[in-house]
Amino acid sequence: MTDKIIETQKLAKSFGDQWALYGVDLTVNKGLTTGLVGPNGAGKTTLFSLLCGFLKPTKGTIKILGHDPDHPELRGRISILPQDAILLKAIPVGKQLSMLAELQGFNKKQALAESKRVLALVNLSSSANKNADQLSHGMLKRIAIAQAFIGSPELILLDEPTAGLDPSTTDGIKAVIRSLAGKTSIIISSHNLEVIEDLCQQVIILKKGRLHSHEKIADMTARTMALTFRLESDPDTNISEIFAGLDMVTEVKLGKKGQHRLVVCFKEEAGQLAEIEILKCLAVAKVPYREMIRGERLQETVADRLD
Amino acid sequence: MNSLRLGVVSTLTRQDLYYSLKSARGLLFLVFFGVFWFWVLWKLSSGNAQHLASPEAGMIMSYIIDPKVASTLFVNHSPTFSAFYYLAISTVPMFVLFAASDQTANDIGSKYLRFLTPRCNRLEIFIGRFFGAVILVAVSYVIITLLAALIAMSVDKDSFAMVVRDAPLVALSLILYTIPFVALMSLCSVIVGSAGLSALMGISIYVILLVLITVVHLKMPDAADMLAYALPNSTKSLFLQLSWGNTISAALAVPFYVLAYGFFGWKIFSKRDI
């Protein structure tokens, strides 16, 4: 039994003479929650659609759980939240989920129970008998998410799962995804890097249709060995001098203009003492800050890498 | 790889039929079909079609259709039932190109297929939708044939036994005749992203081919005859004979049309981005 849930080799997709994706070699192991990120036009949606089998590759190969994306062995073992797919308008959403469950191998009675279960997961049990055109955009998104949770898929692919959702609903969806972590492999494609950072263990970064990097988020953000500050204004370029007396400080990084960001990295063995000393240095130098977090934020790290 | 699980095809077909009865496009077809046939059957119930059995009417009819066919239909069978049958056969393109236009088209446009493909493969979807359209059209024609048979039995004198004998053949002939049209629409509906465009494409292909055949016929009648086989209505003259022998002969051509249109439709659908 392979541990690889997704494997692509020299994967490429062109639209006309434009390469949306080129030469992507990628391996994702089982049991992880993985983020797929990149700026607009990076090939994120194309890669996602290729993995789901919506698009056919121009070159290269894809293996999902050891099979081609349209292999019958995969039916019911993977589930997908497509970003822009529209539910049928004339049928109640509960019935639609039940129909999809039937296609997944449930009998009618089981399918009905399954549709009720996944509707409850997204807190929409009361909307089961409503048609799609009676629901708001956010509710439809939650129904689409619910269909991805039908059955016990081994791999769940979620394209922008929190786009268009209010903060409270986003938290609910994040909680459901978090509850599945470890039991199933999840790929999340999103522009919201806070969601990726919150839910994922690793991230795939695409840039201009090519694989830029694929690594653990913990490695990228040095979670335990840095403090990130959002200052009132952009820090002076010589701000690192205020930490000159601290041997434990290994690096001082400044954000881009307008980001008001300061990252102070320190030796792992210094622990909490380093945090206190760094805060003291800022207070002495009268550098006010609005927010402080341990480690680096994925959002800035990714932005820096893509520059 | 596209294996075919009959249980999944059956579920897809059932769901497609359910959706047809709930959706605007399905209801639009049924209303359009129902109103048209209500009006025709109401006219036929007046008994005027019995005049078609007279020699004078036969002579006039021979300008429109083959005299032998006219004689077979209106003299040897119930004229009311035959008038219904002739009208039904003649209007099949109009109704079926419309009724079967949305096998996959709207789902391609709305990307609903993206909810289906993790659960069933494209071949199952393609075949399930084809069967769904065939059953919808077939059931519609069976119901309308039954109503026409009841009217013919009450209107045409001494025609009860004749209509009872002909009704299964008429229903079967109509169903068989519609299948190549449904197959043509399965090809059209994988190319475009809406049922409207799919219907427009089907009608355009049908009309362009008809015009082309007519033009070619002026210079090269043999080539036109060959070209006519590209149209799904090439078996019409055989079906109009209204005999089991001719119906069986025409039925033999149906799988060829289904395979030909279906093959090209499947080739496109299996490769296209959804």
Side-chain angles (χ1 to χ4, degrees):
Chain A
M1 189 73 122
T2 175
D3 272 347
K4 294 170 186 169
I5 200 150
I6 292 174
E7 192 175 18
T8 72
Q9 286 185 334
K10 308 219 178 312
L11 185 62
K13 175 70 181 176
S14 68
F15 296 102
D17 56 359
Q18 187 77 32
W19 288 98
L21 208 65
Y22 197 83
V24 174
D25 293 316
L26 187 67
T27 303
V28 179
N29 288 329
K30 269 186 183 172
L32 296 171
T33 304
T34 305
L36 176 61
V37 301
N40 290 331
K44 210 159 32 77
T45 302
T46 304
L47 176 59
F48 199 85
S49 299
L50 286 164
L51 294 177
C52 300
F54 304 152
L55 304 181
K56 301 282 178 180
T58 310
K59 284 183 186 173
T61 58
I62 307 170
K63 293 286 176 196
I64 309 284
L65 295 164
H67 304 285
D68 292 336
D70 54 359
H71 197 281
E73 271 290 308
L74 294 179
R75 307 295 158 214
R77 293 175 69 193
I78 64 168
S79 70
I80 297 164
L81 165 68
Q83 192 185 352
D84 42 9
I86 299 167
L87 290 158
L88 302 172
K89 283 181 186 165
I91 300 180
V93 289
K95 175 70 182 172
Q96 291 195 53
L97 292 174
S98 171
M99 283 160 64
L100 293 172
E102 275 186 66
L103 289 172
Q104 228 164 292
F106 290 87
N107 65 35
K108 274 193 168 181
K109 199 176 167 187
Q110 291 169 334
L112 187 64
E114 186 65 3
S115 75
K116 286 179 180 167
R117 182 185 74 84
V118 293
L119 276 172
L121 275 181
V122 295
N123 205 19
L124 277 177
S125 299
S126 57
S127 301
N129 293 322
K130 289 184 178 166
N131 286 357
D133 51 8
Q134 294 173 293
L135 300 178
S136 69
H137 172 77
M139 291 163 105
L140 289 174
K141 182 87 182 185
R142 283 150 68 191
I143 300 289
I145 291 170
Q147 66 78 36
F149 295 145
I150 292 173
S152 312
E154 292 169 50
L155 171 64
I156 302 177
L157 297 146
L158 304 168
D159 198 359
E160 294 288 358
T162 57
L165 298 183
D166 61 64
S168 155
T169 310
T170 298
D171 288 342
I173 297 300
K174 276 160 70 176
V176 177
I177 296 172
R178 216 175 275 123
S179 72
L180 292 168
K183 297 175 204 158
T184 184
S185 307
I186 303 171
I187 310 281
I188 303 171
S189 167
S190 179
H191 281 297
N192 187 339
L193 296 180
E194 279 182 19
V195 170
I196 298 286
E197 186 170 10
D198 203 8
L199 298 174
C200 303
Q201 287 100 49
Q202 56 177 9
V203 67
I204 297 162
I205 303 176
L206 292 175
K207 186 180 179 183
K208 292 180 180 169
R210 290 173 186 270
L211 181 65
H212 178 276
S213 57
H214 177 197
E215 54 193 300
K216 289 180 183 167
I217 290 180
D219 291 345
M220 289 174 72
T221 55
R223 273 181 186 167
T224 57
M225 290 172 289
L227 288 180
T228 298
F229 297 92
R230 189 176 294 280
L231 306 178
E232 295 282 345
S233 58
D234 282 336
D236 293 335
T237 48
N238 60 353
I239 197 168
S240 60
E241 288 171 10
I242 69 171
F243 306 109
L246 294 180
D247 289 343
M248 60 197 66
V249 172
T250 54
E251 190 183 4
V252 176
K253 296 191 271 188
L254 309 184
K256 284 183 288 183
K257 198 174 176 185
Q259 285 186 331
H260 305 179
R261 180 163 57 101
L262 171 70
V263 180
V264 186
C265 303
F266 52 87
K267 290 176 186 167
E268 195 171 3
E269 60 268 23
Q272 272 194 316
L273 178 66
E275 295 177 13
I276 295 164
E277 292 300 324
I278 290 165
L279 288 172
K280 270 190 200 170
C281 288
L282 285 175
V284 169
K286 294 182 178 167
V287 178
Y289 61 87
R290 285 185 178 176
E291 183 187 18
M292 183 201 83
I293 56 165
R294 286 203 174 94
E296 288 185 73
R297 282 164 41 122
L298 183 65
Q299 192 156 348
E300 279 86 20
T301 314
V302 169
D304 288 347
R305 289 182 179 220
L306 292 173
D307 279 340
Chain B
M1 192 186 285
N2 283 286
S3 64
L4 193 65
R5 295 167 300 172
L6 294 179
V8 173
V9 173
S10 148
T11 305
L12 280 164
T13 304
R14 181 165 45 81
Q15 293 181 353
D16 187 55
L17 279 169
Y18 175 77
Y19 183 59
S20 296
L21 298 175
K22 291 272 180 179
S23 69
R25 54 111 175 161
L27 289 175
L28 202 64
F29 158 69
L30 291 174
V31 168
F32 183 36
F33 187 81
V35 168
F36 175 84
W37 283 110
F38 173 78
W39 180 76
V40 169
L41 293 179
W42 179 60
K43 290 284 174 194
L44 288 176
S45 67
S46 66
N48 287 336
Q50 290 176 66
H51 299 303
L52 293 170
S54 68
E56 296 83 4
M59 204 174 75
I60 295 167
M61 288 296 287
S62 66
Y63 286 108
I64 308 168
I65 53 176
D66 181 5
K68 217 171 118 186
V69 172
S71 153
T72 306
L73 273 180
F74 298 106
V75 178
N76 301 336
H77 299 272
S78 154
T80 302
F81 201 41
S82 294
F84 155 77
Y85 180 54
Y86 183 73
L87 261 176
I89 283 268
S90 303
T91 54
V92 156
M94 179 173 78
F95 288 115
V96 180
L97 293 184
F98 177 51
S101 62
D102 183 24
Q103 291 174 49
T104 52
N106 265 350
D107 286 353
I108 289 171
S110 69
K111 297 184 178 169
Y112 180 75
L113 289 178
R114 293 184 172 195
F115 290 124
L116 298 182
T117 50
R119 296 168 171 99
C120 42
N121 64 48
R122 294 187 187 207
L123 184 61
E124 289 162 347
I125 295 169
F126 186 71
I127 293 177
R129 293 299 168 83
F130 171 73
F131 282 153
V134 166
I135 293 171
L136 175 72
V137 169
V139 169
S140 305
Y141 275 101
V142 166
I143 291 170
I144 222 71
T145 302
L146 280 175
L147 290 174
L150 290 173
I151 288 168
M153 281 189 264
S154 67
V155 167
D156 294 345
K157 289 168 194 165
D158 308 323
S159 66
F160 184 86
M162 204 185 282
V163 173
V164 168
R165 188 195 64 203
D166 287 344
L169 181 59
V170 164
L172 180 69
S173 299
L174 283 171
I175 292 168
L176 289 171
Y177 184 61
T178 60
I179 291 174
F181 288 90
V182 178
L184 171 68
M185 291 318 293
S186 75
L187 166 61
C188 294
S189 71
V190 298
I191 297 171
V192 291
S194 81
L197 274 179
S198 168
L200 193 65
M201 178 181 253
I203 292 163
S204 303
I205 290 174
Y206 190 74
V207 171
I208 289 168
L209 273 174
L210 271 180
V211 171
L212 195 68
I213 290 162
T214 309
V215 171
V216 171
H217 189 77
L218 297 173
K219 294 276 183 191
M220 295 175 284
D222 291 342
D225 289 346
M226 292 296 287
L227 194 59
Y229 285 108
L231 280 172
N233 72 342
S234 67
T235 51
K236 184 178 172 182
S237 56
L238 281 172
F239 279 120
L240 275 175
Q241 304 286 331
L242 205 53
S243 71
W244 282 102
N246 284 312
T247 297
I248 290 166
S249 301
L252 293 174
V254 172
F256 289 102
Y257 282 101
V258 171
L259 288 175
Y261 294 134
F263 174 78
F264 289 116
W266 167 243
K267 278 286 157 198
I268 296 166
F269 189 60
S270 63
K271 298 260 183 323
R272 75 160 292 157
D273 295 339
I274 54 167

